[in-house]
Amino acid sequence: MKTVEVLSKKKEVRLHLFLWVILAYINYVHLDFKAPYFISFTDFSLFNNTSVIVFISTFYFHYLCVMPRVIRNFNGKTAFLGWIASYLIFTGIRAFVEQLLTVWIWDMQNYYEGTPAWFYMIDNFFYSLFSIGIATITYIVIYLIRSLQLNQIIQQEKNEAELRFLNSQINPHFVFNTLNNIYYLVYQKSEQALPAIDKMSQLMRYMTYETSENNIELQKEINYIKDFIDLEKMRIAGDVYLKLDIQINNPNLLIPPLLLLPFIENGFKHGVLTDATHPFTIQITQIDNTLELYTQNKCNSYNKDETSGVGLSNIQKRLALQFANKHSLIIKEEENIFTCKLTIKL
């Protein structure tokens, strides 16, 4: 699974820089088809520049001080008081910069002397909306991005925990079936009992050291399947009719361990392997990033137990978690013939 990352502070700063570039362009640059390069710079006047200072100051007051409190304890009262605070900050900074500081340095002020206080407050109400609004929208967008990413991480951790649980069920399920097979060989005093135990030890070594990895090479999974088939054939009396066709272009292609085995194990456990007219067919094909498994076997209606659904049920859940929207699985049973076709985009 691809790891989800939360929007970092560094990326947040980059988004802010991008925002300021756009706002600076809107404020200082405009298209002019008569000008060189079709753009011209406008209005570098004193009070246009001071308005930028007031805008940025109010923006970050609202972004850093007001919005975190509003989001943390959202209600109408908190949002209204936060807006009032930012409005007063905007008005106060603007009055200090444009009515006091500019008079002291340049002997210029933005509003005429004698401007009524009520007019000044109402006029700044409308000017403050842009700064406060942009800060609110920016904060909400970044907050939503982080919230979505955190939800994805929580879901990913949940999926990984479920996947570990499903994998932990597959191993005991396989061991249980294999021990039953070896028990049968020992009970029959078969010469195949000792080779079967040796083969099982090899498989257990694979399961111990390889299946702990998230992915393994496709060739290792295929070798494991071949060993499993050899072990299963030992317990069957008489001739075993099985067709194994493997065509892979890239044996080093990575896949989750024990991805294909449950389908093959299901065929041995619930299929008829001694019918020459209906051999157990296994086809594994890999072209580029597409992996396909096809199995077909005649059903053995007498070989059912309470745990018969564990293997396929688990693999279906694993596929949904690991290859959501990247796989198709067709399972059907017609006229006592069980067919399975799995296609995965790796």
Side-chain angles (χ1 to χ4, degrees):
M1 297 181 183
K2 186 177 180 180
T3 302
V4 179
E5 295 182 356
V6 178
L7 184 69
S8 65
K9 286 291 184 182
K10 184 181 293 186
K11 291 182 179 179
E12 183 179 3
V13 170
R14 290 174 184 170
L15 288 175
H16 280 239
L17 290 175
F18 179 72
L19 172 65
W20 294 127
V21 168
I22 291 189
L23 292 177
Y25 180 87
I26 293 172
N27 193 51
Y28 291 113
V29 181
H30 73 274
L31 288 175
D32 185 353
F33 293 103
K34 295 180 180 180
Y37 307 107
F38 304 109
I39 62 171
S40 63
F41 297 93
T42 80
D43 198 6
F44 281 97
S45 65
L46 173 63
F47 293 113
N48 186 49
N49 292 328
T50 58
S51 68
V52 171
I53 296 173
V54 175
F55 180 96
I56 293 175
S57 301
T58 307
F59 177 96
Y60 280 109
F61 173 80
H62 193 76
Y63 187 90
L64 298 174
C65 301
V66 174
M67 286 306 299
R69 290 174 172 81
V70 171
I71 293 295
R72 187 166 54 247
N73 184 28
F74 182 78
N75 56 61
K77 180 180 178 181
T78 305
F80 177 74
L81 291 177
W83 172 79
I84 289 293
S86 295
Y87 161 67
L88 292 176
I89 286 292
F90 178 91
T91 305
I93 294 176
R94 193 178 187 202
F96 172 76
V97 173
E98 296 183 350
Q99 302 301 115
L100 296 175
L101 191 61
T102 56
V103 171
W104 179 58
I105 299 176
W106 292 284
D107 196 25
M108 296 175 63
Q109 62 183 22
N110 195 10
Y111 286 79
Y112 296 111
E113 286 189 30
T115 300
W118 64 267
F119 178 84
Y120 189 81
M121 298 298 290
I122 292 175
D123 196 45
N124 278 281
F125 167 79
F126 292 105
Y127 279 114
S128 68
L129 290 179
F130 185 61
S131 177
I132 296 172
I134 293 294
T136 301
I137 292 171
T138 304
Y139 188 92
I140 289 175
V141 168
I142 290 177
Y143 177 82
L144 289 176
I145 290 173
R146 285 202 173 110
S147 296
L148 289 173
Q149 290 172 331
L150 286 172
N151 287 336
Q152 285 182 295
I153 290 174
I154 292 171
Q155 185 61 44
Q156 186 179 62
E157 290 176 349
K158 179 182 176 182
N159 290 346
E160 289 175 352
E162 184 176 353
L163 190 59
R164 286 192 296 270
F165 172 74
L166 293 173
N167 287 336
S168 70
Q169 285 187 311
I170 289 176
N171 292 358
H173 182 254
F174 163 77
V175 173
F176 175 77
N177 290 339
T178 307
L179 287 175
N180 275 345
N181 298 340
I182 293 177
Y183 172 82
Y184 174 81
L185 294 174
V186 173
Y187 181 78
Q188 296 293 327
K189 298 181 179 179
S190 170
E191 295 181 355
Q192 298 290 342
L194 290 179
I197 293 173
D198 180 64
K199 186 69 70 174
M200 181 180 177
S201 68
Q202 296 179 28
L203 295 177
M204 290 299 295
R205 189 177 298 110
Y206 170 86
M207 294 179 67
T208 300
Y209 297 107
E210 300 291 347
T211 59
S212 60
E213 301 293 330
N214 292 329
N215 294 290
I216 61 169
E217 291 86 355
L218 175 59
Q219 187 61 56
K220 288 185 177 181
E221 180 83 355
I222 289 175
N223 292 340
Y224 177 77
I225 288 172
K226 289 179 178 179
D227 289 341
F228 175 80
I229 290 173
D230 291 340
L231 180 60
E232 287 290 314
K233 289 167 68 175
M234 292 179 184
R235 71 174 176 85
I236 300 173
D239 295 329
V240 176
Y241 296 96
L242 183 145
K243 292 182 179 179
L244 177 62
D245 181 22
I246 298 175
Q247 298 181 31
I248 61 173
N249 294 335
N250 182 9
N252 297 319
L253 191 68
L254 297 179
I255 65 170
L258 301 178
L259 180 66
L260 307 178
L261 177 70
F263 298 100
I264 297 167
E265 182 184 12
N266 185 75
F268 275 103
K269 185 172 177 61
H270 304 293
V272 176
L273 283 301
T274 56
D275 188 343
T277 59
H278 295 94
F280 181 19
T281 301
I282 304 171
Q283 295 177 351
I284 301 174
T285 307
Q286 176 264 317
I287 300 176
D288 297 329
N289 290 328
T290 300
L291 178 64
E292 183 174 295
L293 170 69
Y294 174 85
T295 66
Q296 186 179 80
N297 60 271
K298 183 178 179 180
C299 296
N300 181 357
S301 58
Y302 298 100
N303 193 11
K304 301 287 183 182
D305 58 45
E306 294 180 355
T307 62
S308 62
V310 172
L312 287 184
S313 175
N314 280 2
I315 196 63
Q316 286 175 313
K317 293 177 182 177
R318 288 179 65 200
L319 288 169
L321 290 172
Q322 293 179 295
F323 299 100
N325 303 320
K326 293 184 178 180
H327 80 281
S328 68
L329 177 60
I330 301 173
I331 297 176
K332 61 181 180 179
E333 183 175 344
E334 296 177 349
E335 299 180 355
N336 209 35
I337 300 297
F338 183 86
T339 303
C340 172
K341 184 178 180 181
L342 170 66
T343 304
I344 301 175
K345 295 290 184 180
L346 297 169

